[in-house]
Amino acid sequence: MSEASPAKAYALHFGVIALLFVSSFLLPEYYHGLLARIMVLAVFAMGYNMLFGYVGLLSLGHAMFFAAGLYGAGLAVIQLGWSVPAAFAAGLACGVVLSLVIGLLALRTTGVAFMIVTMMFAQVFYLVILYFSVWTGGDQGMVVPQPARVLTFGATALDLTNPTVRYMSALSLFSLALLVTLAIVRSRYGRVLVAIRENEERTKMLGYDTFSNKLAAVIVSGTICAASGAAYALLFGYVGSNFASVQYSILPLLWVLLGGAATTLGPLLGTLFMYYVIDVTSGYTSAYLLIVGIALILLVLFFPKGILGTARQRWLGWLP
């Protein structure tokens, strides 16, 4: 990469954040709320991309990390009456602990076995939620009451149900996750992760502890996903078991593949593309999934590494 590459990369990322900030004053109310949701779910995709894109580990269990943050924050508010910051911290803590335990167990396998093991753990987590329906709400879920979704700073109170506050909160989380991800992938540790993805045995020969590095990646990935889940519960006020289903683990994979695996902005682009294609086409026809499927096939044919991944390969080699 050229010497100008770091400056270009940071300028691009801060430019995206600035564009999202300005969009809050320009978008209609409906798209205002939709983009806030997209930013929160893009953080979920960023967490997935950390493991899949940079380490090369295909997981079908990341919905449990998202759900850990979702239920950790939601139950802390609903059942324990905790404040918004404490509930968000509880969601993060659940994600850290769960990702540590899952990482220690699942990383004993590789390849297809890793995918199957993570899917099994996710299914167990989903069934646990359904079993303890008295506390979790089961398949009906729970609504986080509006009075509990107020963030207080001394005499100042911010109502997270307010569209502007919700949008800015989602943007703050997205910006933090994006910059943290960028810092990680451009660091020495990020380069080690890519080396593990490309050739783990050679990385071991160079003296690196690949298990510890992969475990750290699982924890970082799971924590980012849990942060997204906790924010979703607090910003949008719903906690449901459908977010823990195995099918929900496929969505971040799809978003990352669309935007470009191992690109920092790919998760946002993939999530944005998928949401808006569905939103626009569903307004014209009930067969909108057919149109979405055709769009995905065309993307795979002409952008085999995702939109940003192919752009980096062909034209913009400095993209992180």
Side-chain angles (χ1 to χ4, degrees):
M1 298 178 70
S2 66
E3 292 297 327
S5 296
K8 288 181 180 179
Y10 282 104
L12 174 64
H13 287 71
F14 280 109
V16 169
I17 293 172
L19 179 61
L20 291 171
F21 177 77
V22 172
S23 297
S24 66
F25 303 102
L26 303 176
L27 290 174
E29 183 177 351
Y30 170 74
Y31 291 102
H32 199 273
L34 183 60
L35 188 54
R37 194 180 301 268
I38 287 172
M39 285 190 289
V40 172
L41 293 178
V43 174
F44 180 27
M46 286 182 198
Y48 188 89
N49 188 40
M50 179 62 65
L51 194 64
F52 173 67
Y54 293 99
V55 189
L57 292 175
L58 175 59
S59 165
L60 289 181
H62 265 56
M64 64 180 161
F65 299 135
F66 182 88
L70 186 82
Y71 277 92
L75 291 176
V77 170
I78 297 170
Q79 304 288 358
L80 303 178
W82 288 10
S83 64
V84 169
F88 185 78
L92 281 181
C94 290
V96 171
V97 173
L98 182 62
S99 57
L100 173 62
V101 173
I102 297 300
L104 288 171
L105 297 174
L107 287 175
R108 298 172 181 271
T109 62
T110 57
V112 176
F114 180 84
M115 178 186 70
I116 294 174
V117 168
T118 54
M119 181 177 65
M120 291 170 57
F121 279 124
Q123 188 64 16
V124 169
F125 190 86
Y126 174 69
L127 293 175
V128 167
I129 292 174
L130 295 181
Y131 184 79
F132 293 100
S133 59
V134 175
W135 295 279
T136 63
D139 54 2
Q140 294 183 352
M142 300 178 294
V143 175
V144 182
Q146 186 275 334
R149 295 161 58 196
V150 177
L151 185 60
T152 57
F153 296 99
T156 305
L158 297 176
D159 186 358
L160 296 180
T161 62
N162 180 282
T164 301
V165 175
R166 181 171 56 196
Y167 185 96
M168 290 302 173
S169 300
L171 176 58
S172 299
L173 175 67
F174 170 80
S175 301
L176 179 61
L178 179 64
L179 295 177
V180 167
T181 301
L182 179 62
I184 290 175
V185 301
R186 293 189 66 86
S187 67
R188 180 180 177 182
Y189 171 67
R191 294 183 176 90
V192 172
L193 295 183
V194 173
I196 293 173
R197 181 192 69 195
E198 297 299 321
N199 193 321
E200 184 172 353
E201 292 302 319
R202 183 171 294 179
T203 306
K204 286 181 181 178
M205 291 175 59
L206 292 173
Y208 291 101
D209 185 348
T210 57
F211 181 85
S212 297
N213 281 283
K214 289 193 294 184
L215 178 61
V218 171
I219 295 173
V220 171
S221 176
T223 303
I224 294 174
C225 293
S228 175
Y232 195 96
L234 297 172
L235 294 179
F236 302 103
Y238 178 71
V239 177
S241 61
N242 59 303
F243 293 110
S245 64
V246 175
Q247 292 89 334
Y248 212 75
S249 292
I250 299 175
L251 289 178
L253 171 61
L254 180 61
W255 297 334
V256 168
L257 289 175
L258 284 175
T263 62
T264 51
L265 289 172
L268 171 64
L269 188 58
T271 309
L272 187 68
F273 176 85
M274 195 67 180
Y275 257 79
Y276 273 100
V277 168
I278 292 176
D279 184 69
V280 171
T281 55
S282 61
Y284 291 96
T285 175
S286 59
Y288 64 92
L289 288 179
L290 175 62
I291 299 175
V292 171
I294 294 173
L296 294 180
I297 292 173
L298 292 175
L299 273 175
V300 170
L301 290 175
F302 294 101
F303 296 89
K305 292 189 176 182
I307 299 172
L308 288 184
T310 303
R312 179 173 61 186
Q313 181 185 38
R314 296 178 181 176
W315 308 295
L316 305 172
W318 53 270
L319 279 177

